[in-house]
Amino acid sequence: MAAPARSAPRRGPLHRAAAGLRAAVAAFAVAAPAAAVPDGADDPDVLRPQGVDAQGLPMQPDGMAGPARGLGQPITRMQILARAAIWADDHVGYSQLKFRKGWRTDCSGYVSMAWELGRNHWTGDLHQVGERIGFADLRPGDMLLHHNRSRPRDGSHVVLFERWTDQPGGDFVMYEQTPPSVKHRTWSESGYSRKKYTAYRYRNVIENEAVWYPVTGDWDGDGRVTAGTAVPEGESWRWRLSDDPRGATTDADFLFGDVRKLPIVGDWDGDGRWTPGTVDLTGEHHDWYLSNSLRGGEPDVRVGYGDTEKTPVVGDWDGDGTFTPGVVDADGDVRDWYLSNTLAGGEHDLHVGFGDVDKVPVVGDWNGDRVSTPGVVDHDGEHRDWELTNSLDDPETETEVSLGDVGQIPVTGDWDGDGIVTPGVADPAIREWRLSNALASGIADTVFAYAGTPAAPGVAGPSPSPAVPPSLVPSPANPPAAPGPGPAAPSAGPVVPPVADPSPSASAFLPPPGVPPLDQPTVLH
């Protein structure tokens, strides 16, 4: 039976914001013949062969076995739908044997890509990275999964929920990878049977109510990097920053930046103090909104730089005391770093190849020469392994350090003001920080708890322009020694995605109001 005629669903603000996310998406295909499209491929609940090998294990690129741990880094719902929209806008064809940028192009590979999992899954194990929820509780980025136990390889399917067309529990708009290519349509147009499908929520999806985002920076320009946090408050990020090396006080407390954008930090004007910024993760380019003060309000600098499919990082790449943007790719075997020495946008000034694509990028001045250089941090095994280089010219690993457990978030900074950036970790479960003053494996030199408690009455934060760099896993950077006044410069911490609080279950949160529109100031590229 042929499916009813399809009319394009009304595009919501999330899809419109994500529509440009197709920039520089090169197809990556395994050397295998394209899978034949089954007869009646457009029929409701058609048999869709799954990308599994002879043992029934999900296929990975180049025939390599995927890691046992399939969870990826925390991801927002906006990011999930933005990633899904890339394949929809590019009409990526269905195949259980082909791969695009390392993701298998069947239905389960599509969800693995959208959720940015640690490996390609299939319908037989996607439930392991999700939590079962009620149908009426579906929210943007959740999935509806049907795994046919009697015909596991070719009788199953999974789709991504985007939004309800009217009331919760009724018809809805979805994304799905199905022959001949990705579709963005309503459930009623698909002809699928709801009785077969079970709703799941990704375990690492970020719910605003549970986000705790550790950041690090030299907020007062004294040459030492100290702790801070960014947490959602309404539609803005609330930044709470401490000038104390052990987080004993909250010295700045203010609102800045749209919670739908990624927090970053750096010394944007070279005055020796770090201040906040945010990076938009949708559109054709990353849009950077930077402040030169700790007073909140509107950004002082707006710049468009970097492909949105690359991870944003921040650093002082030329040692002039000013932090500037960079982006890091995850194609091939080695990470490609594209770095700019200005806040003017345009093309990159440096192209550096360093680090395994399976490791998280970090940045720091590891040798005190005031120039930021790359590093990567592993998230396999029991401990976090750091690989660092001091060169931007044909770099190789010069320092290897083991610090932190895999459940803790990497942070970086010049904790003691000696001009050298060293590792640390922040534990999102107990809000504990463990910082090392040396590039050596072992026990942290400083351990304290700082969760970003409200500032005392009357504390409005420093008037000049300190800074807030997030020091987490994903990407920004650890700047070099402190620029401008003060002792050796502190180094910026890497930017990472917000971290979901592990204490409560994601499914326990009450759904917040509808997603706000993604309107934002015009940015010139």
Side-chain angles (χ1 to χ4, degrees), residues 181-496:
S181 64
V182 177
K183 290 184 173 64
H184 182 222
R185 59 179 177 178
T186 60
W187 177 267
S188 59
E189 292 172 318
S190 70
Y192 301 155
S193 171
R194 188 180 298 174
K195 295 179 180 178
K196 295 181 180 180
Y197 289 79
T198 303
Y200 287 90
R201 177 160 298 155
Y202 178 39
R203 292 182 183 274
N204 269 3
V205 71
I206 293 170
E207 307 285 1
N208 279 358
E209 301 90 335
V211 172
W212 180 74
Y213 195 131
V215 297
T216 60
D218 182 3
W219 320 122
D220 58 4
D222 69 352
R224 292 185 304 184
V225 169
T226 49
T229 64
V231 296
E233 184 167 308
E235 295 187 12
S236 301
W237 288 105
R238 176 167 288 281
W239 303 76
R240 291 191 174 119
L241 315 175
S242 177
D243 292 331
D244 186 89
R246 302 183 66 87
T249 59
T250 293
D251 301 287
D253 187 344
F254 60 95
L255 294 172
F256 175 79
D258 187 335
V259 293
R260 293 160 294 186
K261 300 176 176 61
L262 181 71
I264 54 152
V265 175
D267 181 359
W268 317 118
D269 58 5
D271 71 349
R273 293 191 265 196
W274 303 37
T275 44
T278 59
V279 183
D280 193 4
L281 303 176
T282 63
E284 295 183 1
H285 303 279
H286 284 305
D287 292 329
W288 305 66
Y289 301 83
L290 312 176
S291 173
N292 288 324
S293 74
L294 294 182
R295 294 188 292 264
E298 294 299 312
D300 298 295
V301 179
R302 301 175 185 177
V303 60
Y305 176 79
D307 185 340
T308 51
E309 290 199 340
K310 298 178 175 62
T311 301
V313 294
V314 174
D316 183 357
W317 317 115
D318 58 4
D320 69 352
T322 302
F323 296 167
T324 47
V327 291
V328 186
D329 204 351
D331 285 333
D333 298 322
V334 178
R335 283 193 177 271
D336 289 309
W337 302 63
Y338 300 89
L339 312 176
S340 172
N341 288 325
T342 72
L343 291 176
E347 296 298 318
H348 61 272
D349 296 294
L350 297 170
H351 175 203
V352 179
F354 179 80
D356 191 318
V357 295
D358 293 328
K359 298 180 174 64
V360 175
V362 293
V363 178
D365 176 7
W366 317 117
N367 63 355
D369 67 355
R370 303 175 69 88
V371 175
S372 299
T373 49
V376 291
V377 184
D378 201 352
H379 50 76
D380 291 331
E382 297 181 0
H383 303 287
R384 287 198 176 271
D385 296 318
W386 304 61
E387 298 177 15
L388 314 174
T389 183
N390 293 320
S391 174
L392 292 175
D393 183 15
D394 195 20
E396 296 182 356
T397 299
E398 298 174 56
T399 304
E400 296 186 29
V401 177
S402 179
L403 180 76
D405 296 334
V406 293
Q408 298 168 333
I409 301 163
V411 295
T412 60
D414 180 2
W415 316 119
D416 57 4
D418 67 355
I420 297 176
V421 176
T422 48
V425 290
D427 192 325
I430 57 177
R431 310 305 201 244
E432 183 179 78
W433 302 67
R434 293 179 170 270
L435 312 178
S436 173
N437 290 326
L439 292 175
S441 301
I443 301 175
D445 297 291
T446 305
V447 179
F448 60 90
Y450 182 73
T453 53
V459 176
S463 52
S465 55
V468 172
S471 11
L472 291 191
V473 178
S475 73
N478 295 321
S491 340
V495 173
V496 305

Side-chain angles (χ1 to χ4, degrees), residues 83-101:
R83 293 172 66 84
I86 295 173
W87 283 25
D89 291 344
D90 285 355
H91 307 289
V92 174
Y94 178 94
S95 171
Q96 75 270 29
L97 298 178
K98 289 185 177 181
F99 294 83
R100 177 184 173 95
K101 296 179 73 70

